[in-house]
Amino acid sequence: SSIMGRGMAHIIEDIEEKKSALKYLMKTQTGKDFIFEDKMVSMVSVIKITAKEFTAKKRPMPVGLK
């Protein structure tokens, strides 16, 4: 599977917006809720990508690999 797109990338500076993005990402990846402190969030960069267009494809699994 793959996805390709075009759009704009912006570095999020607002602490609350960064916390929200990180909470969503961690919930998606782990299924768990996380609480982030301001100090923790200030140490990472979060990049928001706004896609103007994108395409995706998925190839079927080869018969012998299922």
Side-chain angles (χ1 to χ4, degrees):
S1 301
S2 65
I3 185 167
M4 291 180 57
R6 294 184 186 271
M8 296 294 295
H10 304 276
I11 297 174
I12 298 175
E13 302 289 347
D14 180 71
I15 293 291
E16 294 305 316
E17 190 176 0
K18 285 171 78 171
K19 283 182 184 180
S20 177
L22 290 168
K23 286 179 186 177
Y24 182 78
L25 177 67
M26 294 305 291
K27 180 75 171 188
T28 301
Q29 294 299 309
T30 68
K32 299 177 185 175
D33 292 315
F34 285 81
I35 296 173
F36 295 96
E37 296 178 15
D38 290 356
K39 186 176 182 180
M40 297 165 72
V41 174
S42 69
M43 293 183 202
V44 299
S45 294
V46 176
I47 301 171
K48 176 180 180 179
I49 301 172
T50 305
K52 301 272 185 201
E53 61 183 67
F54 61 91
T55 60
K57 66 180 177 181
K58 180 177 181 179
R59 296 177 190 233
M61 179 81 68
V63 176
L65 297 178
K66 288 186 180 181

